[in-house]
Amino acid sequence: MSLFDLRLQEIHNKLHAKELSVTDLVGEAFAAIGERDERIQAYLTLDEAGARAAAARLDNKLVSGEEKGLLFGLPVGIKDNMVTEGLRTTCASQFLSNYNPIYDATSVLKLKQADSVTIGKLNMDEFAMGGSNENSSFQPTRNPWDLSRVPGGSSGGSAAAVAAGEAYFTLGSDTGGSIRQPASYCGVVGLKPTYGRVSRYGLVAFASSLDQIGPVTKNVEDAAYVLQAIAGYDSKDSTSANVEVADYISALTGDIKGLRIAVPKEYLEGIDPKVKETVLEALRVLESLGAVWEEVSLPHTEYAVAAYYLLASSEASSNLSRFDGVRYGVRADHAGNLLDLYHESRSQGFGPEVKRRIMLGTYALSSGYYDAYYLKAQKVRTLIKRDFDQTFEKYDVIIGPTAPTTAFPLGSQVDDPLTMYLNDILTIPVSLAGVPALSVPCGFADGLPVGLQIIGKAFDESTILRTAHAYEVHTEHHKKRPVL
């Protein structure tokens, strides 16, 4: 049994009882990485020297009896689009292959203040653009449950590392499903908080009105602990919401009697029959615990993917204009003039998917097309948000599958962008509405994990955590581990 199979509270009890040291925990992480990561390829950069030094400092803190942080001693991997002081941050792009930040993202800093130990940076789709981790310019990450399949994306490295026991927990970022979809594919818990709940300061922007940082963990309780540590207002982030942070850990009461669940019929149409049956079985479990559920309609769901890719690509084309070969990152050699420098640097630095989205976004924002595409997509986004608002007037949570299928084979969709984009059809509406959602393991289909998506009202992470925890307590799916 791995130390990482223990619950957070069990680890802390062992640390306080001197049955375990932080050095042991960090050693467990690097032993697992050394044994498995050549096959999984979840990490892009490791910081073993820094992690072991931090572990030694925390072990001294343990001996001295100083006050300890909420995540004391836990080894964490960070998605490689969050800046980490002195630790290479690439966004899985050749453009930033030599970038060493001089400061920490707020979420990373909060983890340090909570006494966790950063062990390395995790692979992802380049600039978070993709749903399979195959768009990394360095290496594809593989699903620990089946090495021939994708782990999902863009936070595929974050989910695979937790599933493979290569980190106690990780941070990912979610723009259109990039935490929840890989969590579903890899059989772990992934939480996208409400937009503005966690600071985006230090997160390399893809789509600024959608990006949100969240935890990937083995169980719901750990997700509550991590969210407790990283949530809160940040004056450095203009989109950070100054809303009181709830006590997420106390919310895990296990009591969901009378909980009102909405199940959108659109979320059960056109999905894998085995995924659908697994989700319906999960609803029956929740029903046995006292919850009630009804089928509802979110009528604008069918327009979500089109609206999202117009909006996200438009924001990406703006955000990525800073990568020009002048200020930092790749700089083309022998450019004849300034325009050639821009062209050659961006041609060399960006991969195909990033170029595709920049071109789509630039087109949608261009004169003569703005009203027809970008503005119309914004109006559709409002209609999608209104669907959620109206549903939440009557129901406490919305539940459905996280993804329409289980993890698909590597290479099977990489040349078919439209099919790849449709894998996010169940997660994208949530991102457009800005509300929180969590994916929790709810079973298996053909030996591969299936995720249950629980969606809540804005800033009501407590209810989705309480619902997921109650379900988890009465099932065993989250305890199963891939054989590596």
Side-chain angles (χ1 to χ4, degrees), residues 1-125:
M1 181 179 180
S2 165
L3 292 174
F4 292 174
D5 288 328
L6 299 173
R7 291 170 44 249
L8 184 148
Q9 201 56 54
E10 293 173 323
I11 284 182
H12 279 180
N13 289 342
K14 287 183 176 293
L15 287 168
H16 288 299
K18 307 295 190 296
E19 297 173 14
L20 189 63
S21 69
V22 180
T23 298
D24 293 333
L25 290 170
V26 170
E28 174 98 2
F30 284 108
I33 292 167
E35 178 187 341
R36 302 165 197 159
D37 203 57
E38 186 175 347
R39 289 170 288 161
I40 303 296
Q41 297 188 311
Y43 284 89
L44 291 177
T45 304
L46 293 171
D47 184 21
E48 185 165 1
R52 291 192 181 278
R57 289 194 298 272
L58 292 176
D59 281 334
N60 290 335
K61 198 173 187 178
L62 196 61
V63 172
S64 67
E66 296 176 55
E67 185 176 348
K68 297 159 195 67
L70 192 64
L71 305 175
F72 183 83
L74 299 178
V76 55
I78 307 292
K79 186 177 179 179
D80 206 25
N81 60 348
M82 297 170 215
V83 297
T84 42
E85 184 178 3
L87 185 59
R88 189 177 73 142
T89 299
T90 70
C91 292
S93 176
Q94 294 302 319
F95 216 118
L96 291 175
S97 59
N98 61 354
Y99 177 51
N100 285 292
I102 58 172
Y103 68 101
D104 281 322
T106 296
S107 54
V108 173
L109 184 61
K110 285 192 171 190
L111 290 183
K112 287 183 177 179
Q113 292 169 344
D115 287 337
S116 67
V117 180
T118 300
I119 55 178
K121 305 298 288 294
L122 292 156
N123 197 20
M124 54 185 282
D125 286 298

Side-chain angles (χ1 to χ4, degrees), residues 63-247:
V63 172
S64 67
E66 296 176 55
E67 185 176 348
K68 297 159 195 67
L70 192 64
L71 305 175
F72 183 83
L74 299 178
V76 55
I78 307 292
K79 186 177 179 179
D80 206 25
N81 60 348
M82 297 170 215
V83 297
T84 42
E85 184 178 3
L87 185 59
R88 189 177 73 142
T89 299
T90 70
C91 292
S93 176
Q94 294 302 319
F95 216 118
L96 291 175
S97 59
N98 61 354
Y99 177 51
N100 285 292
I102 58 172
Y103 68 101
D104 281 322
T106 296
S107 54
V108 173
L109 184 61
K110 285 192 171 190
L111 290 183
K112 287 183 177 179
Q113 292 169 344
D115 287 337
S116 67
V117 180
T118 300
I119 55 178
K121 305 298 288 294
L122 292 156
N123 197 20
M124 54 185 282
D125 286 298
E126 184 180 6
F127 284 103
M129 299 180 191
S132 67
N133 229 264
E134 294 169 288
N135 291 329
S136 168
S137 71
F138 295 100
Q139 61 198 31
T141 298
R142 298 175 182 274
N143 193 315
W145 290 92
D146 181 345
L147 297 178
S148 70
R149 294 180 182 263
V150 302
S154 63
S155 304
S158 299
V162 173
E166 297 180 350
Y168 188 80
F169 71 94
T170 60
L171 286 189
S173 68
D174 192 307
T175 305
S178 292
I179 289 174
R180 292 162 286 154
Q181 185 242 36
S184 175
Y185 284 0
C186 292
V188 294
V189 174
L191 170 63
K192 184 202 85 73
T194 308
Y195 182 79
R197 176 75 290 174
V198 176
S199 173
R200 293 189 305 110
Y201 180 73
L203 173 69
V204 179
F206 163 16
S208 301
S209 73
L210 295 158
D211 299 338
Q212 188 61 190
I213 293 170
V216 180
T217 61
K218 294 182 303 305
N219 58 64
V220 175
E221 183 180 319
D222 288 354
Y225 272 94
V226 179
L227 182 61
Q228 198 76 59
I230 64 175
Y233 175 69
D234 180 14
S235 60
K236 295 177 180 177
D237 174 10
S238 62
T239 62
S240 179
N242 195 359
V243 177
E244 183 180 355
V245 177
D247 187 341

Side-chain angles (χ1 to χ4, degrees), residues 95 320-332 338 341-346 350:
F95 216 118
L320 269 63
S321 64
R322 73 192 71 180
F323 301 103
D324 54 14
V326 175
R327 285 163 282 195
Y328 44 76
V330 165
R331 184 186 182 101
L338 187 60
L341 175 65
Y342 293 159
H343 178 266
E344 292 300 324
S345 296
R346 292 167 72 82
F350 291 142

